[in-house]
Amino acid sequence: GIKKLQGEIDELNRDAWVTRVNDSRRSMKISQESLKLAKSIGYPKGIAEGLLNVGFCNIRLANNDEAMPQLNEAFAIFESLQDLSGQARVYEYLGIIHRNKGDLGRSLELLMKALALTENTAVDENHATHFYQLGVTYKHLGDFETALEYFYRSMDACRSFGNTLYIAYSLNLIGSMYLETGDHQKALDYFLQGLPMRQAGGDKWREAGSLDNIGITYMK
C-alpha cells in the first residue's frame, strides 16, 4: 500500500543523501527515481527530499542554474511541512550556488539563515555542513580567522557523530589557508591528517586533491 511505498521512497532518498558527495551521478539517478515515485503518490516529504538531493547533485555537477528552481520548489514544500532542517539545507545549497556565482555577500546571508533555523535543534550532520560552508565563504572573503573558527566548529560537530568526510574537508581547507599564508609546515600537517580519511571514504576526486596539495606544499 501507500505506507510501504512511502517507506521505499524514504529509503531511496536516504541512500541518495548518503552517496551525494562520493558518487553524485549515482545519487542523482536514485533521487530522480524517488522523485518520480513520490510524485506518483503525491507524497510531499518524498518530493521535497528528492528535489533537494537532485538540486545538490546538480550543484556538484556544475549545473547551478538547473538546481535553483529545484531547490526553491523543495523549500516551499519544506515550509508547508514546517520542516526547519529541510529549509536550512535548502538555504545552505542556495548559499553554495551564490558563492559559485561570485556573490559572496548573498552566500553569507543564506548560510547564516540556514544556521539560524537550526540553532535551537540538537547538533547533527546538518550543523557540520552549515559550519563548513560558512568557513568556505569566509575563506573566499579573505577572513581566514572567522573561516578557521567555523572549520573547527564543523570538525567538532562531525566528531560527535563520527562523520570523517567533512572533517577531511575542513582539514584540507585549513591546510590551504596555511599554504596561502606561507606556513608550509603547518599546511603539510593538515593535508597529511586529511589524506587517510579521504582514502578511507572512497572519494577519489578529493583524494587526488589532497595528494595534489601535499605535492605542491613539498615543492614550496
Side-chain angles (χ1 to χ4, degrees), residues 168 190-200 207 210-211 214:
Y190 280 98
F191 290 145
L192 289 170
Q193 275 182 67
L195 180 63
M197 290 181 189
R198 289 190 153 170
Q199 287 166 328
E207 184 185 336
S210 289
L211 291 165
I214 291 166

Side-chain angles (χ1 to χ4, degrees), residues 116-129:
L117 277 179
T118 54
E119 66 186 352
N120 297 321
T121 58
V123 170
D124 62 10
E125 191 185 354
N126 294 324
H127 287 83
T129 65

Side-chain angles (χ1 to χ4, degrees), residues 12-58:
L12 284 170
N13 281 331
R14 252 193 308 274
D15 194 9
W17 172 249
V18 170
T19 57
R20 73 194 189 283
V21 174
N22 283 359
D23 194 346
S24 300
R25 287 181 197 284
R26 179 172 178 271
S27 178
M28 172 79 95
K29 231 174 122 174
I30 302 168
S31 305
Q32 286 166 334
E33 195 184 320
S34 76
L35 192 51
K36 210 166 120 181
L37 263 178
K39 282 182 172 173
S40 74
I41 61 164
Y43 176 34
K45 181 179 178 286
I47 295 170
E49 293 283 351
L51 284 165
L52 185 75
N53 285 334
V54 169
F56 181 83
C57 292
N58 269 322

